[in-house]
């Protein structure tokens, strides 16, 4: 029997500013049909998928807090109106410090949201301006303060390192300031240059002074060691948490579980099919109105693709991949499918086998996706 996913991702594609490095599916909010979008989203969530029983729900973007307090209230009420809230373990919303006004925090407080992920990126005002963010350092503290006062203890921040002109001293300062916030979760990304971004343009014109690869590696190593010294577990390549505060929704992705994806440009994985929704907002609105759903790219995964994903995603976690779970899921042992690759990676000191699991070593985690790519079957 097919079991419905117990996780959902909901996409809010609006932003109050467009950051120079961003290639996410988003638009500048001014003059956008936000009310119509939220209504369509509610139809997709409640009428098309009829979502009722979730363990994790995640609202990302774009910037979910770019919409007004009234719109936020409408969104949160509509997403939770049919949910069994006793079953809902984690309900995360992404927020930007510049947008999180007191009336929006008040709406969050009254809702079922119990986790907030704040896009801090850096504490350095000059760097914030250089990457096109709309907030400043003072607003980061105001946001954290008001969230804590509203009773949120499960708060995460995103930080980006290897920014243009960033030095080791800057990274040290950022980490110290992040630790001083006294929050239980941190996600860490290095700056990636994506196509069609302001930064890529600047890079091509030779006007982006990025740290060298060696300095970037030094920054990553420093951050890991500093976070671990302060009681954070490096539980996934890009994520650190205090015990018990791992992101359950993100662990679901790395466990290669299925999830609903709702909203313009969102991806989902339901009943063995990975799909993508229509992206441009007008196309999304039209499809919901005319067809009731918006899926337009669908791919049914083969057995070997599912196995690749199990490894590719699972190895991102410090806990790695369970041999027993793999066998139960695919009817073959990991050894049968990947024996020679496992030997090679073990010999290179990139993975280790421990009882029922294989997992990446520190060296492996450091190289991240390069190791995971080895599991792609021909
Ligand atoms: S706020 Fe987030 S989604 Fe919006 S432009 Fe910046 S990085 Fe992209």
């Amino acid at each position: 029997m097919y079991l419905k996913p117990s996780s959902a991702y909901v996409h809010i594609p609006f932003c109050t500013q467009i950051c120079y490095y961003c290639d996410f599916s988003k638009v500048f909010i001014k003059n956008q049909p936000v009310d119509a979008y939220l209504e369509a989203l509610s139809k997709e969530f409640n009428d098309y998928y009829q979502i009722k029983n979730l363990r994790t729900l995640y609202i990302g973007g774009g910037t979910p807090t770019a919409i007004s307090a009234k719109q936020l209230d409408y969104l949160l009420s509509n997403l939770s109106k049919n949910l069994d809230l006793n079953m809902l373990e984690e309900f995360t919303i992404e927020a930007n410090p510049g947008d999180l006004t007191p009336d929006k925090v008040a709406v969050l407080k009254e809702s079922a949201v119990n986790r907030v992920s704040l896009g801090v990126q850096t504490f350095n005002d000059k760097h914030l301006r250089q990457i096109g963010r709309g907030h400043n350092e003072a607003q980061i503290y105001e946001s954290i303060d008001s969230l804590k006062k509203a009773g949120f203890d499960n708060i995460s921040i995103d930080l980006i390192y290897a920014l243009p002109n960033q030095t080791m001293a800057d990274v040290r300062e950022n980490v110290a300031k992040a630790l001083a916030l006294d929050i239980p979760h941190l996600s860490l990304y290095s700056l990636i240059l994506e196509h069609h971004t302001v930064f890529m343009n600047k890079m091509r014109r030779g006007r982006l002074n990025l740290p060298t690869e060696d300095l970037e590696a030094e920054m990553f190593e420093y951050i890991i060691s500093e976070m671990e010294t302060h009681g954070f577990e490096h539980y996934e390549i890009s994520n650190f948490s205090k015990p018990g505060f791992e992101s359950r929704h993100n662990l679901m992705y790395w466990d290669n579980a299925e999830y609903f994806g709702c909203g313009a440009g969102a991806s989902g994985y339901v009943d063995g099919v990975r799909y993508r929704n229509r992206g441009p907002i007008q196309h999304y609105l039209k499809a919901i109105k005319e067809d009731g759903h918006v899926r337009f790219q669908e791919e049914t995964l083969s057995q070997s693709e599912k196995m690749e994903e199990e490894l590719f995603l699972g190895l991102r976690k410090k806990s790695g991949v369970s041999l027993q779970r793999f066998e139960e899921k695919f009817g073959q042992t990991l050894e049968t499918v990947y024996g020679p690759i496992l030997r090679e990676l073990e010999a290179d000191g990139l993975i280790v086998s421990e009882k029922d699991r294989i997992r990446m070593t520190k060296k492996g985690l450091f190289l991240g996706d390069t190791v995971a790519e080895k599991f792609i079957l021909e």
Side-chain angles (χ1 to χ4, degrees):
M1 195 192 80
Y2 169 64
L3 275 180
K4 272 187 157 188
S6 58
S7 290
Y9 171 80
V10 170
H11 192 69
I12 301 296
F14 308 111
C15 290
T16 48
Q17 89 289 336
I18 302 297
C19 308
Y20 300 161
Y21 55 88
C22 178
D23 77 331
F24 297 145
S25 173
K26 69 340 167 148
V27 289
F28 186 53
I29 192 165
K30 200 164 169 227
N31 299 329
Q32 290 294 330
V34 180
D35 289 338
Y37 179 78
L38 298 179
E39 200 183 313
L41 191 55
S42 171
K43 282 203 180 106
E44 187 190 9
F45 191 90
N46 291 307
D47 303 342
Y48 180 63
Y49 287 115
Q50 303 192 0
I51 298 174
K52 293 190 175 69
N53 299 310
L54 290 181
R55 215 172 52 76
T56 71
L57 174 55
Y58 191 105
I59 308 179
T63 315
T65 50
I67 61 179
S68 71
K70 198 168 156 224
Q71 289 164 335
L72 193 59
D73 190 28
Y74 173 89
L75 170 71
L76 298 174
S77 321
N78 272 283
L79 292 183
S80 35
K81 70 179 178 195
N82 297 325
L83 288 184
D84 173 359
L85 294 180
N86 290 321
M87 182 182 164
L88 189 64
E89 294 170 15
E90 186 185 272
F91 185 175
T92 304
I93 189 165
E94 288 179 354
N96 269 354
D99 301 320
L100 207 52
T101 47
D103 53 346
K104 293 182 198 172
V105 175
V107 170
L108 295 185
K109 188 181 175 187
E110 291 308 313
S111 73
V113 170
N114 58 12
R115 183 172 184 274
V116 180
S117 173
L118 207 60
V120 165
Q121 319 313 356
T122 165
F123 291 83
N124 183 311
D125 280 342
K126 198 169 119 212
H127 290 158
L128 282 167
R129 277 194 303 278
Q130 283 174 354
I131 62 175
R133 298 290 299 187
H135 68 268
N136 57 33
E137 183 182 2
Q139 286 172 315
I140 299 170
Y141 303 128
E142 283 164 22
S143 297
I144 296 278
D145 226 44
S146 60
L147 286 170
K148 284 188 178 178
K149 282 197 182 114
F152 288 97
D153 59 353
N154 198 350
I155 302 174
S156 175
I157 61 166
D158 283 0
L159 281 186
I160 306 182
Y161 69 102
L163 293 171
N165 307 314
Q166 198 175 38
T167 62
M168 235 359 250
D170 294 327
V171 168
R172 280 195 207 102
E173 197 179 323
N174 268 322
V175 175
K177 288 181 173 173
L179 288 167
L181 295 178
D182 192 22
I183 52 168
H185 193 280
L186 181 137
S187 300
L188 176 76
Y189 306 98
S190 65
L191 182 75
I192 310 248
L193 285 184
E194 307 282 4
H195 290 294
H196 313 299
T197 59
V198 173
F199 270 2
M200 185 55 109
N201 226 328
K202 280 196 171 185
M203 186 69 186
R204 290 215 175 100
R205 285 183 287 139
R207 291 176 49 193
L208 206 59
N209 178 25
L210 291 176
T212 60
E213 257 178 47
D214 282 352
L215 180 55
E216 183 177 331
E218 202 184 317
M219 288 173 172
F220 188 51
E221 227 162 319
Y222 172 81
I223 300 170
I224 296 175
S225 104
E226 209 42 25
M227 295 303 292
E228 288 182 341
T229 308
H230 287 84
F232 282 81
E233 192 185 1
H234 185 197
Y235 73 100
E236 191 269 345
I237 293 179
S238 309
N239 286 279
F240 300 83
S241 84
K242 287 275 172 73
F245 285 93
E246 298 84 2
S247 160
R248 295 180 191 197
H249 184 82
N250 288 338
L251 280 171
M252 174 282 299
Y253 292 134
W254 304 316
D255 282 338
N256 198 13
E258 297 197 339
Y259 60 97
F260 299 105
C262 299
S267 308
Y269 184 25
V270 177
D271 202 6
V273 177
R274 288 215 180 259
Y275 66 86
R276 201 174 159 80
N277 281 351
R278 292 192 178 278
I281 290 165
Q282 290 303 344
H283 295 198
Y284 175 84
L285 295 179
K286 188 166 177 270
I288 288 279
K289 200 169 161 199
E290 291 173 4
D291 313 325
H293 77 93
V294 289
R295 286 155 70 148
F296 87 117
Q297 275 176 356
E298 297 193 339
E299 189 191 358
T300 307
L301 298 185
S302 66
Q303 175 85 337
S304 58
E305 283 168 332
K306 285 184 188 164
M307 290 193 285
E308 284 164 9
E309 289 193 341
E310 188 82 9
L311 272 287
F312 197 88
L313 296 164
L315 282 176
R316 294 185 61 95
K317 294 173 296 177
K318 192 179 176 192
S319 60
V321 171
S322 153
L323 307 186
Q324 191 190 334
R325 196 179 129 95
F326 186 92
E327 196 177 341
E328 279 165 12
K329 223 169 160 178
F330 302 110
Q332 295 179 74
T333 64
L334 194 62
E335 181 61 37
T336 325
V337 187
Y338 286 112
I341 298 169
L342 296 176
R343 293 295 88 69
E344 182 193 323
L345 291 173
E346 257 179 310
D348 291 343
L350 297 169
I351 60 165
V352 282
S353 313
E354 269 169 4
K355 294 185 196 140
D356 170 51
R357 313 190 74 87
I358 56 155
R359 60 171 186 80
M360 291 225 232
T361 57
K362 275 204 166 174
K363 187 175 161 196
L365 276 175
F366 197 77
L367 293 174
D369 290 343
T370 324
V371 178
E373 274 161 20
K374 298 266 182 204
F375 291 97
I376 294 181
L377 298 162
E378 294 300 307

